[in-house]
Structures are given as structure tokens and as C-alpha cells.
Amino acid sequence: MKIYTFNGKKNISGQRIREARQRLHLSQTQLAAQMQVEGIIIERDSISRIEIGTRFVPDYELPVFAKVLKVSVLFLLGEA
């Protein structure tokens, strides 16, 4: 599967994920652990790559990020 970029990044939610994570005072490791509790197997380095835009974020991960980070999916997509 070819992953395309948008403005040089592989996702548009990474910056918002970082903002929400920092608001909750979570480390990347803590966020990865909470995602795993919710059924998304993800490591700390994947969180880092999402935040800097070098990892694709599949649609099934967005609602879980939103739940764990206590924000809306629209916020993560930059729409709110």
C-alpha cells in the first residue's frame, strides 16, 4: 500500500495529538500504554513518529486517540 503525503507529512493529526497529550501531561510512553489498554497495539516510537508526521494514522486509531486524549476526532483532524 502506497502512503501519500500531504504538505510533506503522512498525517494531519500528529500536531493535535501532541497538543492534547501535553495538555493531559502524558508522556509518549503513557499514551502508548493507554492506547494498548483500549486495544490499539502501538509503541512509544510510533507515537513519536505520528507527532512529527512520519507515520500514517489509520482511521481506526483516530477514535481511540480521541477517547484517550479526551478530545473529538474533529479536533484531531484540525476541524474544531
Side-chain angles (χ1 to χ4, degrees), residues 15-28:
Q15 181 59 38
R16 291 288 183 104
I17 288 171
R18 177 183 302 222
E19 289 172 22
R21 177 182 62 77
Q22 290 175 336
R23 263 193 246 146
L24 294 175
H25 305 289
L26 293 174
S27 68
Q28 291 175 339

Side-chain angles (χ1 to χ4, degrees), residues 12 14 16 20 22 24 29 38 44 56 59-60 66-67 75:
I12 61 172
R16 291 288 183 104
Q22 290 175 336
L24 294 175
T29 301
E38 294 294 330
R44 189 222 46 91
F56 175 75
D59 56 1
Y60 63 86
K67 178 181 178 183
F75 172 83

Side-chain angles (χ1 to χ4, degrees), residues 3-51:
I3 304 295
Y4 296 94
T5 61
F6 179 76
N7 292 333
K9 297 194 177 221
K10 293 184 178 173
N11 70 65
I12 61 172
S13 57
Q15 181 59 38
R16 291 288 183 104
I17 288 171
R18 177 183 302 222
E19 289 172 22
R21 177 182 62 77
Q22 290 175 336
R23 263 193 246 146
L24 294 175
H25 305 289
L26 293 174
S27 68
Q28 291 175 339
T29 301
Q30 291 169 319
L31 176 54
Q34 288 188 21
M35 293 289 288
Q36 290 177 16
V37 167
E38 294 294 330
I40 301 295
I41 304 306
I42 192 168
E43 302 295 329
R44 189 222 46 91
D45 70 312
S46 293
I47 301 292
S48 176
R49 291 186 299 121
I50 286 169
E51 291 182 352

Side-chain angles (χ1 to χ4, degrees), residues 47-75:
I47 301 292
S48 176
R49 291 186 299 121
I50 286 169
E51 291 182 352
I52 62 174
T54 60
R55 181 186 178 276
F56 175 75
V57 180
D59 56 1
Y60 63 86
E61 288 181 353
L62 277 177
V64 181
F65 272 116
K67 178 181 178 183
V68 168
L69 294 170
K70 299 176 175 64
V71 297
S72 70
V73 172
L74 289 177
F75 172 83

